[in-house]
Structures are given as C-alpha cells and as structure tokens.
C-alpha cells in the first residue's frame, strides 16, 4: 500500500523556515511540504545552496501574497575567506587556495564603513538571473560566456563582526535583489586581496525572522493600507463590481478590505475598483 504523504484539504499557512547549508531552496521546500502534508506551497527569496537561514514559506492561498509582504531590507551574516578563489564566489566551486597577507583590522573596518550607501556592482555569474530565457548559473556551469548588466544595491548598514585571519566576518543590511557574494568581492578588491564567501546566513527579510516555524498572521506583514468598506459583503463573496462610493479611501492604490472570515485586496485606479485577490480565507 502506497504511503500517503499529502492531505487534500486546503492549508493556508505563512511561516519562516531555517534553510540549512548545502541544499537548494526548492529541495528544502519539498521537505517542508512533506512535513506539513500539503503540496501547494512556495517560497520567497531564493537562498543559494551553500547559504542558510531565513526563508519565507507560504501554503495555499497565502502563496499569492508574497509581492505584498514587508520583506525589505534583508540582513545577512557573511564570512569572507581570504586567499581563496572560486568560479561562483562561494565555496561550491573553489579554484585555488593560497596564503593571503595579514590585514590591519583598522583597514578592514575603514573599508567596510565606506561600503554604506548605493553601490554599483556586477551580479555573480552563478546566479538565478535570466539571459535569453536561461538562468545565468546554467550557462556558467555549461562553460558558456555570461554577460550580466551592472546593477545598484543599497547598503543601509554594514559592520565588522570579527577578523581571525584568514576569515573576515561581517553583517550587512541590504536592499531587495542584492548579492552578498558581489559585496564580498568588492570588499576584497578594496582591501587588495583575493577571497570568497565561506559562509552566508540570512538573518531576516524585513519583518520576517525564524521563530521555530511559528504560524504568522499575513495581515501583520502585508505592506498595504486597510480600506473601510460599507457595502454588501455578498458583492465580494460573488466577485462582483464594488462601487467606489462604498470605500472610505478613494485615492489610487492597492488596499485590503477586511472581514472576520476572509480578506480581499483591491486596486483603485481612475475611480474604478478592481480585484487583485478576492476572498483569501483567514
């Protein structure tokens, strides 16, 4: 008899899991699906296989809420291993390990301090960005040329945690879409050394922290205003048009309409109301 792994009942669930090192985000999501016995799940913010830490996971209807969640800025703890070169700028594809000069801790602190603000950078070749429909890491692993455009990341905070040669440990709070591998390469270049990331942990994504997979109320994390609705609930139940006159706030934008058993996300544009997500069960 085949073992039953999944339940058929709808599960609406939002939580933060702690992804371990050396497993892809997709593979770890499959483990979480089996743990909670539900197939319909997704995650936000891919972590590289060698990285660990905070990964936002949602089940059921809550998977549709990712782009409305308060997920920025993101904070990471990273270790730069001096003297090591790698194709992927981490410990998965090491090319060579050599002795590197010992640095002055004051020089490290000064260079780290200079990294605050907006930084132009090249994303790593081993990343999930698409080039002509293919992931950059797929092209890189196939030995093909990867050309990525320069981007800008915002470093709102960064500090040195420790320096135990040949390892520099630092924490950085960065904007959405930033690559800590690229930030580490910039730091190494500014220090006049070679290095690669040997450890990377995401500590949080905006207001999301790992809390032993505690159930989270999505309404506490949605980056949207609540709009008071004075019309009939049956209109939303049936997905019918909502008159703007029944809304307290009439300015253009996206809003939440709350009911005891469900909520809806609507958009107002040019005095017209449309559904973004209707009847998300609470």
């Amino acid at each position: 008899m085949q073992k039953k792994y999944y339940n058929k009942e709808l599960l609406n669930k939002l939580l933060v899991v702690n992804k371990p090192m050396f497993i892809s985000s997709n593979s770890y999501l499959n483990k979480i699906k089996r743990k909670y016995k539900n197939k319909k799940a997704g995650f936000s913010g891919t972590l590289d296989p060698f990285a660990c830490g905070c990964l936002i996971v949602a089940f059921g209807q809550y998977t549709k809420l990712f782009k409305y969640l308060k997920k920025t800025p993101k904070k990471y703890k990273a270790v730069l291993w001096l003297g090591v070169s790698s194709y992927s700028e981490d410990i998965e594809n090491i090319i060579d390990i050599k002795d590197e000069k010992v640095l002055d801790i004051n020089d490290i602190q000064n260079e780290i301090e200079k990294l605050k603000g907006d930084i132009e950078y090249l994303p790593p070749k081993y990343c999930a960005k698409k080039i002509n429909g293919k992931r950059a890491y797929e092209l890189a692993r196939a030995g093909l040329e990867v050309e990525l455009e320069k981007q800008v990341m915002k470093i709102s905070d960064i500090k040195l945690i420790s320096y135990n040669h040949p390892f520099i440990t630092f924490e950085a709070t960065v904007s959405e879409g930033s690559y800590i591998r690229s930030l580490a390469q910039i730091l190494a270049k500014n220090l006049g050394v070679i290095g690669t990331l040997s450890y990377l942990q995401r500590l949080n994504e905006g207001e999301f922290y790992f809390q032993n997979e505690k159930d989270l109320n999505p309404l506490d994390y949605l980056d949207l205003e609540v709009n008071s609705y004075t019309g009939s609930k049956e209109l939303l139940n049936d997905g019918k048009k909502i008159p703007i006159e029944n809304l307290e706030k009439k300015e253009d934008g996206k809003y939440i309409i709350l009911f005891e058993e469900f909520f809806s996300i609507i958009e107002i544009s040019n005095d017209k109301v449309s559904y973004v997500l209707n009847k998300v069960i609470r």
Side-chain angles (χ1 to χ4, degrees), residues 25 66 196 205:
S25 296
F66 283 133
T196 197
E205 288 195 74

Side-chain angles (χ1 to χ4, degrees), residues 80 107-121 153-160 168 170-174 180 182-191:
L80 177 61
D107 291 338
I108 299 173
Q109 287 176 324
N110 290 337
E111 291 301 333
I112 283 179
E113 185 66 27
K114 291 177 186 176
L115 292 173
K116 287 183 182 178
D118 293 343
I119 296 180
E120 189 177 61
Y121 73 102
M153 67 173 118
K154 182 177 181 62
I155 314 297
S156 53
D157 192 28
I158 185 168
K159 63 181 179 180
L160 175 67
I168 298 173
F170 64 93
E171 286 184 0
T173 303
V174 300
I180 305 301
S182 296
L183 179 61
Q185 289 304 307
I186 293 169
L187 175 60
K189 182 179 178 182
N190 292 347
L191 289 168

Side-chain angles (χ1 to χ4, degrees), residues 79-230:
V79 179
L80 177 61
W81 184 5
L82 303 182
V84 180
S85 54
S86 164
Y87 289 117
S88 55
E89 299 172 5
D90 58 41
I91 54 173
E92 287 199 284
N93 296 275
I94 290 176
I95 304 167
D96 196 14
I97 301 176
K98 295 180 179 178
D99 289 336
E100 186 55 271
K101 64 183 179 182
V102 177
L103 301 171
D104 187 311
I105 193 169
N106 293 317
D107 291 338
I108 299 173
Q109 287 176 324
N110 290 337
E111 291 301 333
I112 283 179
E113 185 66 27
K114 291 177 186 176
L115 292 173
K116 287 183 182 178
D118 293 343
I119 296 180
E120 189 177 61
Y121 73 102
L122 270 175
K125 293 181 178 181
Y126 283 74
C127 72
K129 289 188 176 295
K130 287 190 174 182
I131 302 173
N132 297 325
K134 290 280 189 179
R135 299 287 185 187
Y137 64 78
E138 293 174 340
L139 299 174
R141 286 171 182 164
L144 301 175
E145 188 63 31
V146 177
E147 292 185 12
L148 294 163
E149 295 182 359
K150 285 188 175 182
Q151 297 190 10
V152 175
M153 67 173 118
K154 182 177 181 62
I155 314 297
S156 53
D157 192 28
I158 185 168
K159 63 181 179 180
L160 175 67
I161 302 300
S162 65
Y163 173 45
N164 296 302
H165 191 76
F167 300 104
I168 298 173
T169 303
F170 64 93
E171 286 184 0
T173 303
V174 300
S175 57
E176 185 92 25
S178 300
Y179 285 93
I180 305 301
R181 283 178 291 160
S182 296
L183 179 61
Q185 289 304 307
I186 293 169
L187 175 60
K189 182 179 178 182
N190 292 347
L191 289 168
V193 295
I194 291 172
T196 197
L197 280 189
S198 62
Y199 179 81
L200 181 62
Q201 178 187 10
R202 185 157 62 202
L203 302 174
N204 67 277
E205 288 195 74
E207 298 184 12
F208 290 88
Y209 295 80
F210 176 63
Q211 301 175 72
N212 295 317
E213 299 184 14
K214 171 185 172 183
D215 273 359
L216 303 177
N217 182 350
L219 296 175
D220 295 335
Y221 297 88
L222 287 173
D223 195 16
L224 296 168
E225 287 185 72
V226 175
N227 203 334
S228 295
Y229 172 69
T230 58

Side-chain angles (χ1 to χ4, degrees), residues 229-247 257 259 261-264 266 273-275 277-279:
Y229 172 69
T230 58
S232 167
K233 185 168 69 173
E234 280 64 39
L235 288 180
L236 282 86
N237 263 326
D238 299 334
K240 293 181 179 178
K241 184 178 179 180
I242 304 171
I244 195 168
E245 292 78 18
N246 289 341
L247 296 169
I257 298 177
F259 292 97
E261 65 273 27
F262 71 88
F263 63 89
S264 296
I266 61 164
V273 184
S274 58
Y275 293 104
L277 289 173
N278 190 30
K279 283 196 67 178

